[in-house]
């Protein structure tokens, strides 16, 4: 615990997990958690949502981590939109950063072990598990297709780790293009890939852009079988889509919307082209469940086996 109080701490009277998000009240997690608590035997444990501003002042993220570190019954947190900012603001409050957190420079999972506050990045694992649900092994080797990832934040970073460190070298996309309105995020991702994943065999490109029409042109240039990812948060945390309604998806390709709730404009744009373009369209539901179940297991120190995950997943299907 810090030597001198930095912020006021609110003592919790029940075991508590926090959810750092933007519009947490709209998340299915609020209705999902009581079902999971019953299945996992968590008793009177509670999930508390914290709506934090996107790219807000460091103090708001630091205060939230300080609460967890200093209050015995504040056991940890699920972090969605604020993975990078939370670590930047509160790095010194963590006693342990896992290798995944150190590599990606983000935290999605905060939990306690043996009196130490741990920060972990789960997305390199859960993004890979999600991709494996809809892209069969050998796809990239056969097609030599590309990936256009619209957004270069935490999820994009995790996907790059999966592509370069988990996929076998003979089955990786030939080219991956990251597009973001933030030059800072692009530079961070470029530096990370250059330092830790330089010999992947993948050609990476980084484009600073906020014009959806320009993204349309990038998408139109993709070879057949390519994948387009909405990793921007648009359609959930902010309105709109990173492409226009005139954008054309790659023939026989994949459209992956990382969001599972909200207006989901990108998802609907892809669905309208599903038949004509022989497009595989996937939302973020599995990605959401895989990440949440792993983190809740870490917070409450429960091993989420495949059988237990399937039970949690089945309990939530009606919520969709």
């Amino acid at each position: 615990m810090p030597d001198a109080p930095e912020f006021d701490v609110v003592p919790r009277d029940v075991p508590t997990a926090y959810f750092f998000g933007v519009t947490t009240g709209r998340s299915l997690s609020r209705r999902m958690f009581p079902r999971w608590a019953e299945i996992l035997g968590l008793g009177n444990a509670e999930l508390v949502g914290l709506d934090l501003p996107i790219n807000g002042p460091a103090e708001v993220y630091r205060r939230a981590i300080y609460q967890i570190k200093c209050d015995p019954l504040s056991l940890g947190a699920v972090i969605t939109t604020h993975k990078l900012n939370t670590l930047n603001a509160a790095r010194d409050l963590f006693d342990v950063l896992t290798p995944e957190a150190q590599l990606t420079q983000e935290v999605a999972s905060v939990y306690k072990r043996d009196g130490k506050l741990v920060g972990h990045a789960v997305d390199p694992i859960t993004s890979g598990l999600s991709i494996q649900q809809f892209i069969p092994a050998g796809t990239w080797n056969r097609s030599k297709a590309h990936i256009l990832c619209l957004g270069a934040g935490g999820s994009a970073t995790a996907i790059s780790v999966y592509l370069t460190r988990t996929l076998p070298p003979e089955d990786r996309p030939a080219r991956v293009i990251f597009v973001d309105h933030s030059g800072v995020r692009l530079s961070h991702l470029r530096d990370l890939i250059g330092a830790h994943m330089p010999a992947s065999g993948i050609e990476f490109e980084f484009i600073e852009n906020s014009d959806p029409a320009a993204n349309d042109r990038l998408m139109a240039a993709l070879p057949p079988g390519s994948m387009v990812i909405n990793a921007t948060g648009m359609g959930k945390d902010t309105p709109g889509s990173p492409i226009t309604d005139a954008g054309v998806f790659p023939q026989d390709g994949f459209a992956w919307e990382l969001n599972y709730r909200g207006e989901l404009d990108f998802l609907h744009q892809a669905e309208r082209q599903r038949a004509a373009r022989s497009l595989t369209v996937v939302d973020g539901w599995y990605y959401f469940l895989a990440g949440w179940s792993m983190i809740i297991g870490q917070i409450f120190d429960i091993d989420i086996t495949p059988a237990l995950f399937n039970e949690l997943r089945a309990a939530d299907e009606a919520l969709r």
Side-chain angles (χ1 to χ4, degrees):
M1 182 177 293
D3 295 333
E6 185 175 349
F7 301 104
D8 291 335
V9 173
V10 179
R12 297 291 298 174
D13 56 7
V14 297
T16 302
Y18 295 88
F19 169 23
F20 296 11
V22 179
T23 53
T24 60
R26 300 178 189 171
S27 173
L28 287 183
S29 62
R30 306 299 291 275
R31 287 186 284 155
M32 178 179 77
F33 186 78
R35 300 177 182 215
W36 283 22
E38 184 176 355
I39 293 170
L40 299 176
L42 301 182
N44 60 350
E46 292 184 1
L47 176 69
V48 174
L50 298 178
D51 289 348
L52 305 177
I54 298 174
N55 296 322
E59 177 183 332
V60 298
Y61 312 113
R62 186 173 181 85
R63 181 189 296 273
I65 294 298
Y66 190 89
Q67 166 72 27
I68 297 169
K69 186 176 182 71
C70 297
D71 175 50
L73 286 178
S74 293
L75 302 184
V78 182
I79 302 176
T80 55
T81 308
H82 313 289
K83 304 180 188 80
L84 298 170
N85 287 336
T86 297
L87 182 56
N88 288 338
R91 181 184 298 269
D92 61 300
L93 296 179
F94 289 97
D95 301 299
V96 177
L97 291 175
T98 66
E100 292 82 4
Q102 294 180 47
L103 174 62
T104 60
Q105 291 299 294
E106 67 174 43
V107 287
S109 172
V110 179
Y111 59 96
K112 295 175 178 177
R113 285 295 182 276
D114 302 321
K116 298 180 184 292
L117 189 67
V118 181
H120 179 50
V122 302
D123 281 6
I125 301 169
T126 57
S127 63
L129 291 173
S130 301
I131 291 173
Q132 290 166 18
Q133 298 299 305
F134 63 92
I135 297 186
T139 294
W140 301 114
N141 183 46
R142 289 191 300 271
S143 68
K144 306 301 181 186
H146 299 172
I147 293 176
L148 173 62
C149 185
L150 303 171
S155 294
T157 301
I159 290 168
S160 71
V161 173
Y162 166 73
L163 295 173
T164 57
R165 294 199 160 202
T166 302
L167 277 182
E170 68 275 9
D171 189 25
R172 291 173 180 168
R175 186 168 179 239
V176 178
I177 306 164
F178 292 104
V179 183
D180 201 285
H181 66 86
S182 168
V184 173
R185 278 203 289 265
L186 288 165
S187 294
H188 169 82
L189 184 53
R190 182 190 294 111
D191 292 346
L192 186 147
I193 290 173
H196 300 287
M197 316 165 204
S200 66
I202 300 172
E203 177 188 350
F204 288 99
E205 186 174 355
F206 305 87
I207 299 175
E208 186 174 350
N209 173 59
S210 59
D211 179 8
N215 291 336
D216 288 354
R217 294 190 288 273
L218 291 170
M219 190 165 66
L222 295 171
S226 293
M227 177 163 67
V228 184
I229 305 170
N230 178 24
T232 65
M234 295 183 73
K236 179 176 77 76
D237 296 327
T238 59
S241 168
I243 62 172
T244 76
D245 287 341
V248 179
F249 284 86
Q251 184 70 36
D252 302 315
F254 303 88
W256 189 18
E257 166 65 86
L258 295 192
N259 301 316
Y260 77 94
R261 66 175 176 90
E263 296 301 318
L264 302 178
D265 299 48
F266 177 89
L267 181 74
H268 299 317
Q269 289 166 326
E271 287 175 335
R272 288 195 289 270
Q273 298 184 37
R274 188 197 304 264
R277 306 295 292 170
S278 297
L279 197 63
T280 298
V281 182
V282 182
D283 70 4
W285 179 246
Y286 185 94
Y287 191 26
F288 164 71
L289 290 182
W292 268 83
S293 62
M294 184 175 292
I295 297 171
I296 291 297
Q298 291 169 345
I299 292 172
F300 292 99
D301 201 8
I302 296 171
D303 180 22
I304 306 297
T305 63
L308 193 50
F309 172 74
N310 287 335
E311 186 176 356
L312 297 174
R313 185 181 181 184
D316 295 325
E317 283 302 320
L319 293 178
R320 300 194 72 183

